[in-house]
Amino acid sequence: MRPGGGRKKGHDWERAVAEKFREAGFTDAKRGLSQTRGGEECADVEGIPGWWVETKHHRLARIPAAYEQAAGAAFSHSALARRPVVVSRDDRRPPLATVSFPVFLALLARIRDLEARNVYLDSALKEAVDARAELQRACAEKDRLFVETFDKTTDGYEIKRRSSGGAE
């Protein structure tokens, strides 16, 4: 590798991770600018509320050490503690996101709760659609039962309302 190549690879990876976050809807995601000053004042990727994003792209990333770095920085450099996550990628391998097991469990519980809520909302939506269809059927039946007919009389057209029981 040429001199400085690893640093460029790391910076490019930070930008790529920030771009993926933006594509996922985190529009404020960007590479941490203080990284250019060599400080640990901000995460590698900023703009992800509640998270300290550390990125690593190496031939073989040392994930436990990266996680310790992220966890230490997340709790010491933030006015509000943020959950640390390491987005790492070994050469020629897919990227990984590493969080602590308690955070992983909390994420799973949140996903489960959201899926349960979606099932409830889907059920409520189905009930509303069914109720609307029933209302439309009732209106159509009412229209069928009360039909306006025109009978010719000697004085012109006379409107008669008929129901299923006969003329009114």
Side-chain angles (χ1 to χ4, degrees), residues 53-66:
V53 181
E54 185 72 28
T55 64
K56 297 293 177 191
H57 187 253
H58 296 282
R59 186 172 51 83
L60 188 61
R62 294 176 42 229
I63 295 172

Side-chain angles (χ1 to χ4, degrees), residues 28-87:
D28 293 335
K30 63 184 179 293
R31 182 172 173 249
L33 293 179
S34 71
Q35 295 300 306
T36 58
R37 296 191 300 268
E40 287 187 68
E41 299 130 23
C42 69
D44 289 346
V45 176
E46 289 289 340
I48 312 302
W51 293 92
W52 183 280
V53 181
E54 185 72 28
T55 64
K56 297 293 177 191
H57 187 253
H58 296 282
R59 186 172 51 83
L60 188 61
R62 294 176 42 229
I63 295 172
Y67 185 81
E68 286 177 18
Q69 176 187 350
F75 294 109
S76 65
H77 293 291
S78 296
L80 299 172
R82 297 191 275 174
R83 293 176 296 277
V85 59
V86 176
V87 181

Side-chain angles (χ1 to χ4, degrees), residues 45-141:
V45 176
E46 289 289 340
I48 312 302
W51 293 92
W52 183 280
V53 181
E54 185 72 28
T55 64
K56 297 293 177 191
H57 187 253
H58 296 282
R59 186 172 51 83
L60 188 61
R62 294 176 42 229
I63 295 172
Y67 185 81
E68 286 177 18
Q69 176 187 350
F75 294 109
S76 65
H77 293 291
S78 296
L80 299 172
R82 297 191 275 174
R83 293 176 296 277
V85 59
V86 176
V87 181
S88 61
R89 182 168 179 225
D90 292 345
D91 289 347
R92 294 179 293 282
R93 302 264 174 133
L96 301 173
T98 305
V99 296
S100 70
F101 189 61
V103 168
F104 179 67
L105 290 175
L107 289 172
L108 287 179
R110 182 72 174 135
I111 291 168
R112 180 201 59 221
D113 294 346
L114 289 172
E115 287 174 345
R117 182 174 180 211
N118 282 343
V119 167
Y120 169 77
L121 291 175
D122 288 347
S123 173
L125 179 61
K126 183 183 180 321
E127 288 177 16
V129 168
D130 291 348
R132 181 172 185 233
E134 183 59 33
L135 181 61
Q136 288 174 331
R137 281 191 293 277
C139 288
E141 181 66 11

Side-chain angles (χ1 to χ4, degrees), residues 141-149 160-168:
E141 181 66 11
K142 179 182 174 198
D143 287 346
R144 190 183 68 72
L145 295 174
F146 296 99
V147 177
E148 290 187 351
T149 59
K160 293 186 178 179
R161 278 191 98 90
R162 272 192 301 146
S163 69
S164 58
E168 293 184 277

